[in-house]
Amino acid sequence: MKTIEHFVNGNSFLGSSKRTSDVFNPATGEVSAKVNLASKKDVDDVVAVAKNAFIKWSQVSPLQRSRILFKFKNLIEQNTDELTKLIVSEHGKVYDDAKGSLTRGLEVVEFACGIPHLLKGEFTENVGGGVDSWSIRQPLGVCAGITPFNFPAMVPMWMFPLAIACGNTFILKPSEKDPSCPLMLGKLLKEAGLPDGVFNVVNGDKESVDSLLSNPDVSAISFVGSTPIAKYIYENAAKFEKRVQALGGAKNHCVVMPDADLDQTVAGLMGAAYGSAGERCMAQSVAVAIGDIGDELVSRLTKEVQKLKVGPGMDKSSEMGPLVTGQHLEKVTGYIDIGVKEGAKLVVDGRKFQKLQGYEKGFYIGGSLFDHVTPNMRIYKEEIFGPVLSVVRAKDFNEAINLINNHEFGNGVSIFTRDGNSARTFTSHIKVGMVGINIPIPVPMAFHSFGGWKRSLFGDHHVHGMEGVRFYTKLKTVTSRWPTGKASASFTMPTMS
């Protein structure tokens, strides 16, 4: 049985802990490896390594950091197939989806390559008599990222490329469910010329997380995961006086107006609701049908969901792969049970998916479709994180806006319409962080920033883009005057008059 270790100071690191966790191949349901789970001592040792590496790395010029990231970008492109297969083998998503997620992460690396420009400060000459003032942005120190299982390459790359480009060192605590891809990224960074200790990977569970939160030498924490854990990370990181960005859960709505192009809408909803088996925070899990369009929308969706091709991620004909673990499969199945008990109409039942020959133990489920879901139901209120789409009926546009604005989550939302005024009004009045207009998954490009509102984000900064640069740096403002004559003390508030 393969044992997966940590990556510390440029090398594999066994650690002192004897605890391990199973890593599964979701397609077959078999255990493919054991991953070591770090102890508090292991985490503290890694933090010490990163703290020591920061001394030199923070003094490396932004241009030199950029050149290393350019090499890293090239190495990712050269190893795309191997990285993609690692994602498929441990997460289960289909090959093209895994490759696409790697590409979206690579876009952040490309953005971070522009760090010499992104770190330029502001300068004002002669703010007063012979006085100049300017601002600079400097690195924080040791930063840490805690990332989820659903995007083992993309979400870490939302964080560490910018963090190290800004001059910080970084400790990644990826999900123990699919740790191999992050470890390979660490090895590629070393191959690109990144000094040892600047980027480290520590596998673990709550013990590792709590150790990162409490260690005084960790300056900032980035997190992506569920809302209860995001809140826990935010509160505890703040308690230990760290900077924190903690992205939580979602219940993303897609508003379907009566004038919507239904061919485009249904195609968009299918990919957004069932792509990656619904295991993504930007999945569209609620379709809000306005007026009389609901019956036609459900009819078309039903036909498409029934045709959904579910199979192993490496099978090119598969449109949706298995869920990540058997435990998660039970959770998703349990939500379908709850929806039926609550009175929602189960139009397509993914629980009836027939086991695949040769993959009988895999963690498969078909796509599910509910109709006549109401806001008081748990399947509407809670994040299922699986291939389950709920259709809610709303009598008009205003009811749809109120429905969405009253939900505790505010991550992403879309509207499908041909009417520019409806789209503009929707964009202005909706209380959600990322909005799509005839776009089913409104994930911003790397040079913009990603993040939700309300209980979908705890902290003041979104990830990547200029928000990411601001998060991973601290502002320093300098005011300077060179002596030109005799000085005298002043005991009043300084002004520039």
Side-chain angles (χ1 to χ4, degrees):
M1 179 69 66
K2 181 175 73 170
T3 299
I4 298 173
E5 300 179 355
H6 317 289
F7 181 80
V8 178
N9 207 22
N11 296 286
S12 294
F13 175 64
L14 182 62
S16 61
S17 172
K18 302 301 181 185
R19 298 184 305 119
T20 63
S21 181
D22 290 337
V23 177
F24 291 90
N25 180 338
T28 64
E30 298 173 347
V31 176
S32 59
K34 298 278 188 181
V35 59
N36 288 344
L37 302 178
S39 65
K40 183 180 186 304
K41 180 185 182 302
D42 295 333
V43 173
D44 290 344
D45 288 347
V46 178
V47 173
V49 166
K51 181 182 179 182
N52 183 62
F54 174 72
I55 298 170
K56 289 185 177 179
W57 180 246
S58 61
Q59 299 304 309
V60 172
S61 72
L63 182 59
Q64 287 298 108
R65 298 181 211 143
S66 175
R67 286 171 177 167
I68 291 172
L69 286 171
F70 267 116
K71 292 178 182 176
F72 177 56
K73 168 188 174 295
N74 290 335
L75 287 169
I76 290 176
E77 291 171 338
Q78 293 168 21
N79 292 274
T80 293
D81 184 60
E82 185 176 352
L83 287 163
T84 300
K85 288 176 179 176
L86 284 176
I87 297 171
V88 174
S89 68
E90 294 181 349
H91 176 272
K93 66 179 68 186
V94 299
Y95 183 92
D96 287 344
D97 186 30
K99 184 178 179 181
S101 70
L102 186 64
T103 300
R104 293 308 302 264
L106 186 61
E107 291 166 2
V108 182
V109 179
E110 292 171 335
F111 176 72
C113 286
I115 201 65
H117 172 74
L118 299 174
L119 285 181
K120 289 194 304 185
E122 299 173 323
F123 185 92
T124 303
E125 182 184 26
N126 208 32
V127 295
V131 177
D132 302 324
S133 187
W134 66 92
S135 63
I136 55 179
R137 304 203 73 92
Q138 295 184 317
L140 305 175
V142 180
C143 299
I146 302 165
T147 56
F149 69 80
N150 57 331
F151 290 103
M154 184 182 76
V155 173
M157 285 198 285
W158 283 356
M159 302 173 184
F160 73 77
L162 271 181
I164 62 179
C166 289
N168 303 284
T169 54
F170 199 87
I171 299 169
L172 174 64
K173 204 302 286 181
S175 171
E176 66 277 15
K177 294 180 175 67
D178 44 11
S180 293
C181 187
L183 289 168
M184 185 172 175
L185 292 175
K187 293 172 184 177
L188 292 179
L189 277 168
K190 180 181 175 72
E191 187 178 342
L194 189 72
D196 292 346
V198 175
F199 178 79
N200 308 276
V201 181
V202 177
N203 297 302
D205 51 10
K206 187 176 185 296
E207 182 176 343
S208 302
V209 171
D210 287 342
S211 300
L212 289 169
L213 290 174
S214 62
N215 191 300
D217 291 325
V218 176
S219 298
I221 298 280
S222 300
F223 172 82
V224 175
S226 69
T227 286
I229 306 301
K231 187 172 186 289
Y232 176 87
I233 297 289
Y234 176 70
E235 291 174 345
N236 284 277
K239 182 174 71 176
F240 289 106
E241 301 177 0
K242 303 183 191 306
R243 184 173 292 192
V244 59
Q245 53 182 188
L247 281 69
K251 199 70 178 179
N252 305 311
H253 296 68
C254 176
V255 174
V256 185
M257 296 294 288
D259 66 344
D261 180 328
L262 276 184
D263 289 338
Q264 183 187 58
T265 303
V266 170
L269 272 170
M270 286 299 299
Y274 303 104
S276 198
E279 295 173 321
R280 52 188 176 195
C281 66
M282 290 300 289
Q284 291 283 5
S285 53
V286 180
V288 184
I290 307 296
D292 297 330
I293 203 169
D295 290 343
E296 179 65 17
L297 176 66
V298 171
S299 175
R300 293 197 186 198
L301 282 170
T302 300
K303 296 174 184 176
E304 296 302 317
V305 178
Q306 290 172 337
K307 293 190 298 184
L308 193 63
K309 296 178 181 177
V310 181
M314 289 305 298
D315 186 336
K316 291 291 186 180
S317 67
S318 298
E319 296 171 322
M320 188 178 90
L323 298 179
V324 67
T325 63
Q327 183 181 20
H328 191 58
L329 175 60
E330 290 177 6
K331 176 186 174 183
V332 173
T333 302
Y335 268 111
I336 299 171
D337 297 340
I338 290 168
V340 173
K341 291 177 182 177
E342 289 181 324
K345 182 181 179 182
L346 184 56
V347 182
V348 182
D349 187 353
R351 298 170 302 179
K352 295 181 179 179
F353 177 76
Q354 297 294 316
K355 293 291 184 180
L356 299 170
Q357 186 174 358
Y359 297 92
E360 288 83 2
K361 295 182 180 180
F363 310 132
Y364 295 96
I365 189 172
S368 290
L369 176 65
F370 280 103
D371 193 10
H372 297 290
V373 175
T374 58
N376 63 311
M377 295 178 178
R378 282 185 62 189
I379 60 168
Y380 173 78
K381 292 187 290 186
E382 299 175 16
E383 184 177 35
I384 298 173
F385 222 61
V388 182
L389 177 61
S390 297
V391 177
V392 177
R393 309 293 185 110
K395 66 177 183 295
D396 56 32
F397 179 70
N398 290 331
E399 182 181 331
I401 287 183
N402 290 333
L403 181 79
I404 297 165
N405 286 348
N406 287 333
H407 203 286
E408 67 170 317
F409 298 133
N411 199 50
V413 70
S414 293
I415 183 171
F416 278 78
T417 181
R418 289 184 172 95
D419 184 70
N421 183 58
S422 295
R424 188 173 187 276
T425 302
F426 183 81
T427 302
S428 176
H429 288 83
I430 209 70
K431 295 177 181 177
V432 176
M434 293 172 283
V435 181
I437 300 170
N438 298 317
I439 298 289
I441 306 178
V443 177
M445 293 293 290
F447 38 86
H448 289 280
S449 298
F450 179 104
W453 286 12
K454 297 184 282 189
R455 287 173 59 81
S456 292
L457 173 68
F458 297 86
D460 297 323
H461 290 92
H462 292 197
V463 296
H464 62 64
M466 286 310 299
E467 282 279 276
V469 175
R470 286 186 278 268
F471 179 78
Y472 289 119
T473 56
K474 50 194 172 186
L475 183 70
K476 181 182 287 183
T477 304
V478 183
T479 305
S480 170
R481 178 173 62 196
W482 295 99
T484 56
K486 185 177 180 181
S488 60
S490 174
F491 300 95
T492 61
M493 173 63 69
T495 64
M496 297 301 173
S497 58

